[in-house]
């Protein structure tokens, strides 16, 4: 067979392999992607079906396959997407899934970057994958993720659920919505959900899940469950905290300089901070002030302890943060270290810092910080009216 014949044969083979219709088993999924994209673009149904199909047909294609692929093609074009009939090699997520399961986050980030480089065109599947990556990178809100998750296949849904849990944990003190839309099949997601239950003060459910995970997990997830139990004890059985902490230090082999080792330092520091044992709290927090994941809250607690103890830091950096509660309270310390007047500091505590008490976790720590700073100002000015007024207000609810 000569080269010209070979080339013709290969071309014919490619043409024959090209799909000329969307497979029936994919059509309902494509219909749901069209509806998702329509909502994200704020298009009305009337606008995208005009001249293509009826509303009845549009609703139908999200529930059962239609024989005419032209409907799908035209509707996809209206929302800026297309179905890639030529694609024979879908993007593999195996590397991302393995990195996630092993909690190898540096490798996970590399996999994400590799996937982003492979997303070239807005075809149906790459569009959904791009949305998932935006959720992983925290570039979309929870409402977006809630609509996207039903479109994701099992592994990717599990991964995105993990990062949605993170976003919920960092964004809300109380999150009472049903979380059934999230995928919690893996132990790492169950551990993440456990921390959310604790933060939401759902202590019974948290205790049941924590004991289950302590019995079933190994390695990193077991370490997470152990740390979660300390947070539980901190909230409901502080008298048992020290005993449990000592047991972990003696029996659990937490890797030095690992995230879980830092978590142990952090929760222990919080325990002594709440107990107002500032000498011990300082000794734990000072070890974490340069660790990125703990830098911001730890600095806030250290700055507060400078006000009420004789401990002094050499430097007072004010890190940037998008977390409103931390940003507002750190701005107060930025004003304080810049030398703003006592009157301005008191005004800022009263008008701005009080607003974020319920955004802080746990909220009583923010209340204590503001209370002590108002007392410090009162000592300088001799006027305790704001301090007394602050103490009369019930901050267990939004005020």
């Amino acid at each position: 067979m000569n080269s010209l014949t070979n080339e013709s044969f290969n071309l014919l083979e490619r043409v024959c392999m090209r799909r000329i219709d969307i497979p029936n088993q994919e059509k309902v999924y494509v219909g749901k992607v069209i509806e998702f994209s329509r909502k994200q673009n704020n298009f009305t149904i009337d606008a995208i079906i005009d001249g293509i199909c009826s509303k009845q047909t549009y609703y139908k294609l999200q529930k059962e396959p239609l024989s005419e692929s032209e409907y799908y093609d035209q509707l996809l074009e209206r929302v800026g997407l297309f179905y890639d009939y030529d694609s024979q090699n879908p993007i593999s997520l195996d590397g991302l899934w393995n990195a996630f399961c092993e909690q190898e986050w540096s490798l996970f980030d590399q996999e994400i970057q590799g996937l982003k480089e492979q997303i070239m065109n807005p075809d149906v599947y790459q569009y959904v994958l791009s949305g998932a990556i935006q959720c992983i990178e925290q570039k979309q809100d929870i409402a977006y993720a809630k609509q996207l998750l039903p479109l994701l296949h099992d592994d990717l849904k599990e991964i995105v659920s993990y990062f949605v849990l993170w976003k919920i944990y960092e964004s809300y003190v109380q999150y009472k919505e049903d979380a059934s839309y999230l995928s919690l099949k893996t132990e790492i997601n169950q551990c993440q959900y456990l921390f959310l239950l604790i933060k939401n003060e759902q202590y019974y459910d948290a205790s049941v899940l924590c004991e289950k995970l302590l019995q079933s997990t190994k390695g990193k997830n077991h370490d997470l469950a152990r740390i979660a139990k300390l947070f539980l004890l901190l909230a409901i059985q502080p008298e048992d905290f020290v005993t449990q902490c000592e047991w972990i230090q003696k029996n659990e082999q937490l890797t030095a300089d690992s995230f879980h080792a830092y978590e142990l330092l952090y929760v222990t520091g919080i325990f002594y901070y709440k107990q107002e044992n500032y000498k011990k709290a300082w000794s734990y927090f000072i070890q974490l002030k340069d660790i990125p994941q703990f830098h911001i809250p730890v600095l806030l607690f250290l700055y507060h302890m400078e006000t009420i103890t004789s401990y002094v830091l050499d430097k007072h950096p004010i890190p940037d943060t998008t977390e409103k509660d931390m940003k507002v309270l750190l701005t107060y310390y930025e004003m304080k270290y810049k030398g703003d007047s006592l009157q301005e500091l008191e005004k800022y505590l009263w008008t701005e810092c009080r607003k974020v008490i319920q955004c802080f976790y746990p909220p009583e720590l923010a209340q204590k910080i503001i209370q002590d700073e108002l007392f410090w100002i009162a000592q300088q000015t001799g006027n305790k009216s704001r301090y007394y007024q602050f103490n009369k207000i019930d901050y267990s609810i939004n005020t």
Side-chain angles (χ1 to χ4, degrees):
M1 190 179 292
N2 61 40
S3 60
L4 182 59
T5 304
N6 272 332
E7 185 176 342
S8 299
F9 179 81
N10 291 336
L11 177 61
L12 178 62
E13 185 180 38
R14 288 197 299 272
V15 170
C16 290
M17 289 178 64
R18 184 183 190 274
R19 290 173 289 185
I20 59 174
D21 193 12
I22 299 173
N24 265 4
Q25 66 269 24
E26 295 182 43
K27 285 182 175 178
V28 172
Y29 180 81
V30 172
K32 291 179 178 179
V33 174
I34 292 169
E35 172 64 1
F36 174 77
S37 182
R38 178 191 72 78
K39 290 179 178 178
Q40 302 314 310
N41 287 288
N42 294 315
F43 295 152
T44 64
I45 293 177
D46 289 334
I48 70 165
I49 68 172
D50 185 37
I52 299 176
C53 66
S54 66
K55 275 190 179 180
Q56 183 179 5
T57 298
Y58 180 77
Y59 292 132
K60 187 177 179 181
L61 62 79
Q62 298 172 49
K63 298 177 181 178
E64 58 184 86
L66 304 182
S67 58
E68 302 88 348
S69 284
E70 291 80 6
Y71 285 143
Y72 299 93
D73 291 331
Q74 293 176 57
L75 290 168
L76 283 167
E77 186 177 358
R78 286 277 170 90
V79 296
L81 301 175
F82 70 95
Y83 183 88
D84 189 353
Y85 289 94
D86 293 317
S87 177
Q88 300 295 325
N89 299 304
I91 296 175
S92 173
L93 301 178
D94 291 347
L96 187 72
W97 175 249
N98 291 335
F100 171 75
C101 291
E102 296 299 323
Q103 300 179 46
E104 296 291 346
W105 299 117
S106 294
L107 180 58
F108 184 88
D109 290 341
Q110 292 174 27
E111 291 289 335
I112 287 291
Q113 292 309 310
L115 290 173
K116 289 166 72 173
E117 291 171 5
Q118 294 180 66
I119 297 175
M120 307 296 293
N121 299 305
D123 91 290
V124 169
Y125 292 99
Q126 292 193 18
Y127 170 70
V128 172
L129 177 57
S130 177
I133 290 174
Q134 289 177 51
C135 291
I136 289 169
E137 295 182 330
Q138 307 285 287
K139 293 178 180 177
Q140 292 288 356
D141 60 21
I142 294 168
Y144 176 94
K146 195 171 183 177
Q147 294 179 54
L148 178 72
L149 280 165
L151 300 176
L152 305 181
H153 296 297
D154 290 348
D155 290 354
L156 191 55
K157 185 176 182 180
E158 192 77 12
I159 293 171
V160 171
S161 293
Y162 173 84
F163 289 94
V164 173
L165 282 166
W166 255 120
K167 194 172 186 70
I168 294 171
Y169 184 88
E170 293 179 345
S171 300
Y172 299 97
V173 172
Q174 296 291 324
Y175 186 79
K176 298 299 186 183
E177 287 189 30
D178 179 16
S180 60
Y181 65 93
L182 297 168
S183 181
L184 305 175
K185 295 178 181 178
T186 57
E187 290 176 344
I188 182 175
N189 279 14
Q190 291 173 35
C191 287
Q192 191 73 356
Y193 183 59
L194 171 58
F195 279 96
L196 182 61
L197 289 175
I198 296 169
K199 187 172 184 178
N200 285 344
E201 300 177 1
Q202 296 173 261
Y203 298 130
Y204 176 79
D205 290 342
S207 298
V208 172
L209 180 56
C210 187
E211 289 307 313
K212 170 183 172 291
L213 289 170
L214 284 172
Q215 293 176 27
S216 65
T217 55
K218 295 180 181 179
K220 294 177 180 178
N221 291 324
H222 187 75
D223 293 344
L224 269 177
R226 279 286 174 206
I227 299 298
K229 183 165 185 177
L230 286 177
F231 277 101
L232 258 176
L233 293 176
L234 184 65
I236 61 176
Q237 288 180 264
E239 66 276 10
D240 294 335
F241 181 91
V242 173
T243 301
Q244 180 67 20
C245 188
E246 289 174 347
W247 187 93
I248 292 174
Q249 291 171 334
K250 181 179 179 181
N251 295 281
E252 300 287 349
Q253 299 299 314
L254 297 181
T255 304
D257 298 327
S258 68
F259 179 78
H260 299 135
Y262 294 141
E263 277 273 25
L264 180 59
L265 290 174
Y266 181 72
V267 68
T268 308
I270 290 290
F271 170 77
Y272 287 116
Y273 184 78
K274 288 185 70 175
Q275 297 288 316
E276 298 185 16
N277 185 337
Y278 296 123
K279 181 179 181 180
K280 284 195 172 182
W282 184 278
S283 71
Y284 283 98
F285 287 146
I286 204 72
Q287 299 177 63
L288 296 169
K289 70 181 182 68
D290 296 320
I291 306 301
Q293 299 97 319
F294 302 91
H295 181 59
I296 292 172
V298 160
L299 279 181
L300 181 62
F301 298 141
L302 290 173
Y303 292 164
H304 170 232
M305 284 189 283
E306 275 194 316
T307 300
I308 56 178
T309 70
S310 59
Y311 302 125
V312 179
L313 291 169
D314 295 334
K315 298 178 181 179
H316 299 95
I318 305 295
D320 189 29
T321 176
T322 57
E323 295 180 48
K324 182 180 178 183
D325 52 341
M326 294 293 180
K327 192 176 187 71
V328 170
L329 291 169
L330 284 170
T331 297
Y332 164 79
Y333 285 105
E334 183 177 28
M335 294 167 62
K336 182 178 180 179
Y337 294 130
K338 282 196 312 184
D340 284 22
S341 69
L342 294 172
Q343 290 74 20
E344 286 297 317
L345 292 176
E346 185 179 68
K347 180 182 177 181
Y348 187 81
L349 285 167
W350 188 257
T351 60
E352 301 300 328
C353 293
R354 287 193 312 136
K355 295 177 184 177
V356 300
I357 289 175
Q358 291 302 315
C359 300
F360 201 88
Y361 181 75
E364 61 267 20
L365 294 187
Q367 182 177 346
K368 174 68 171 153
I369 289 171
I370 297 168
Q371 182 183 52
D372 287 342
E373 293 297 335
L374 284 171
F375 184 74
W376 175 79
I377 292 170
Q379 285 183 311
Q380 316 300 310
T381 63
N383 183 354
K384 296 185 178 180
S385 59
R386 280 292 193 204
Y387 171 72
Y388 289 140
Q389 193 176 357
F390 180 86
N391 292 336
K392 290 178 182 177
I393 300 173
D394 179 8
Y395 290 100
S396 62
I397 58 173
N398 288 313
T399 56

